[in-house]
Amino acid sequence: MSEGTDAASAASTVGGWAKAGRQAGIAGAAIGVVAAGAAAGVAIERLTVGRGMRRKARLALDASGPYGTLRGAPGRAVADDGTELYFEVDEADAISSEDDPALAPGVAESPERTPESRLRRLFGRRAPDPLTVVFCHGYCLSQDSWHFQRAALRGVVRTVHWDQRSHGRSERGRSQRDGSAPVTIDLLGRDLKAVLDAAVPEGPILLVGHSMGGMTMMALADQYPAFVAERVTGVAFVGTSAGKLGEVSYGLPSVGVKAFHRLAPSVLRVLGAQLELVERGRRATADLFAGLVKRYSFGTPSDVDPAVSRFAERLIESTPIDVVAEFFPAFAEHEKTGALPAFDAVPALVLAGDKDMLTPFEHSEAIAELLPGAELVIVADAGHLVMLERPDLMNDQLAELVARVVAAADALRGSGSGTAGGRARGRAARRSSGG
């Protein structure tokens, strides 16, 4: 197929979307504005790189990239509407200095040491039993988006990775499929509780959430404060928000922001009803889609390994457009500022990229203000998928958080306060001291 035919096919598909929008009495102009910046870069690429070559490059990256290949022991939890939620568990295993000489007494700490070896050195022959680190992924992603963090902690500490409803390997939401209930962040919080009950029935929990995953954690605290006080001993909020997402500009000019927020839900609903058309359009406009992913996922796309960029693209494109449409309205309604103090008694990390256009870093700063003991890390030149764009930094911060959580638990046990009541007393003491 020639470049001219390819472009005509893409134009025909976009025209089909516009027609679908007109039939619903709305315009796709706002979403078109979002795509414009990426389209310019794609147009330049088309002048220099043939369509066949681009397709071969994508296939090569898919074949060679190891990202998203880590698997654990599978399990399933059942949500309150019957939806089956898929999770995997990576168990911790002990390792001695005979297995890893870097753990031997007297070996100097090296700045090149990996998060895994640093944690091994901290914990010695034992894993930080019975701590479980639970990873909650974001919108249009899956548990595989934590690939680098999973690799860093693999075998060192028990971890749970789960797929939100309608994402990854989890079942399509039953209450959405039958139209009985919309997606809400509260619903996702109840899903998380079901996963925790099934995968971590006992012991302390460190929750790690990116974007929608962080919001899910807030909804858990809002609905199950006693559970959080008793079981959650640490949290990490990565590129997320406690509310006011209806004010996010997405990098659009001010004139386009209001139109986007007003029209996007309706446009997505229309596109969701045209599933076959949209999926054909995704394939026909693969380069444009890849450009959008780079623009909105990474702060410095040119510095990202092309295989990682393609991995992010695969994660996002695997989410059907009707699922995208079902979840999108929940973010405008999301407001969980009042739930955050439930986490202020435990070690916390709040991390975001300073070029995140989906959940701007100011939202992370607002979260940190409500968690006085949190470590706030704003990553220069990083975007929304900061855990993929800056994996080494993310892993270092996560390793430090695990160490802080274990140290805090050891201190509580030493003082005989290893209960929810003891944590509450510690929180009150910290507040009275201005900490």
Side-chain angles (χ1 to χ4, degrees), residues 120-304:
R120 289 291 190 192
R121 188 169 179 78
L122 273 171
F123 306 133
R125 292 173 179 267
R126 68 175 182 87
D129 184 60
L131 177 67
T132 299
V133 183
V134 179
F135 288 87
C136 308
H137 71 79
Y139 180 46
C140 298
L141 299 171
S142 75
Q143 62 175 267
D144 291 340
S145 62
W146 295 108
H147 175 87
F148 292 107
Q149 292 68 50
R150 186 172 191 168
L153 295 185
R154 198 169 178 81
V156 184
V157 59
R158 186 175 192 264
T159 60
V160 172
H161 304 260
W162 68 291
D163 292 325
Q164 301 251 20
R165 65 171 54 221
S166 303
H167 291 68
R169 295 170 177 82
S170 282
E171 185 184 7
R172 182 67 183 276
R174 294 191 181 185
S175 55
Q176 289 73 62
R177 203 167 53 202
D178 64 19
S180 61
V183 173
T184 64
I185 301 300
D186 282 340
L187 174 61
L188 304 184
R190 296 194 294 275
D191 287 352
L192 174 56
K193 178 61 162 56
V195 170
L196 295 176
D197 288 344
V200 201
E202 59 184 6
I205 299 166
L206 192 168
L207 292 173
V208 182
H210 169 249
S211 191
M212 183 177 75
M215 301 173 204
T216 300
M217 290 158 46
M218 298 174 203
L220 175 79
D222 195 31
Q223 297 172 96
Y224 304 98
F227 176 86
V228 168
E230 183 66 31
R231 299 286 307 282
V232 177
T233 57
V235 289
F237 292 107
V238 182
T240 190
S241 171
K244 298 184 178 179
L245 288 170
E247 300 174 6
V248 175
S249 71
Y250 300 110
L252 297 170
S254 58
V255 69
V257 174
K258 290 183 179 179
F260 178 87
H261 285 292
R262 185 175 71 253
L263 298 177
S266 299
V267 171
L268 287 171
R269 277 198 303 273
V270 170
L271 297 180
Q274 302 285 333
L275 184 60
E276 184 178 346
L277 169 68
V278 173
E279 295 308 320
R280 261 201 328 267
R282 278 186 177 183
R283 293 190 293 271
T285 58
D287 298 325
L288 174 60
F289 182 75
L292 282 169
V293 170
K294 290 178 183 177
R295 173 172 167 78
Y296 284 94
S297 297
F298 307 117
T300 316
S302 60
D303 293 343
V304 177

Side-chain angles (χ1 to χ4, degrees), residues 214-400:
M215 301 173 204
T216 300
M217 290 158 46
M218 298 174 203
L220 175 79
D222 195 31
Q223 297 172 96
Y224 304 98
F227 176 86
V228 168
E230 183 66 31
R231 299 286 307 282
V232 177
T233 57
V235 289
F237 292 107
V238 182
T240 190
S241 171
K244 298 184 178 179
L245 288 170
E247 300 174 6
V248 175
S249 71
Y250 300 110
L252 297 170
S254 58
V255 69
V257 174
K258 290 183 179 179
F260 178 87
H261 285 292
R262 185 175 71 253
L263 298 177
S266 299
V267 171
L268 287 171
R269 277 198 303 273
V270 170
L271 297 180
Q274 302 285 333
L275 184 60
E276 184 178 346
L277 169 68
V278 173
E279 295 308 320
R280 261 201 328 267
R282 278 186 177 183
R283 293 190 293 271
T285 58
D287 298 325
L288 174 60
F289 182 75
L292 282 169
V293 170
K294 290 178 183 177
R295 173 172 167 78
Y296 284 94
S297 297
F298 307 117
T300 316
S302 60
D303 293 343
V304 177
D305 178 350
V308 171
S309 183
R310 174 58 187 156
F311 172 53
E313 184 185 339
R314 288 204 325 267
L315 285 172
I316 296 169
E317 71 186 4
S318 67
T319 308
I321 188 63
D322 50 345
V323 172
V324 175
E326 284 174 359
F327 276 68
F328 188 80
F331 301 116
E333 300 172 3
H334 169 60
E335 175 50 63
K336 294 297 178 190
T337 303
L340 284 170
F343 298 114
D344 73 354
V346 300
L349 168 67
V350 183
L351 185 147
D354 69 352
K355 290 187 176 180
D356 189 336
M357 292 191 289
L358 300 181
T359 50
F361 72 89
E362 290 86 356
H363 289 236
S364 289
E365 291 178 332
I367 292 171
E369 287 180 3
L370 294 169
L371 299 175
E375 180 79 13
L376 174 63
V377 179
I378 304 300
V379 185
D381 299 322
H384 190 59
L385 298 187
V386 61
M387 68 284 193
L388 292 176
E389 186 173 10
R390 299 285 192 272
D392 291 342
L393 184 150
M394 180 74 231
N395 291 351
D396 286 343
Q397 292 295 329
L398 189 56
E400 290 181 13

Side-chain angles (χ1 to χ4, degrees), residues 46-84:
R46 282 183 179 277
L47 295 176
T48 56
V49 183
R51 179 174 181 269
M53 184 65 72
R54 293 193 300 272
R55 182 173 179 276
K56 287 180 180 178
R58 282 194 294 271
L59 290 175
L61 291 172
D62 287 347
S64 63
Y67 311 120
T69 58
L70 300 177
R71 300 269 66 89
R76 292 191 182 274
V78 180
D80 55 11
D81 66 349
T83 301
E84 290 191 354

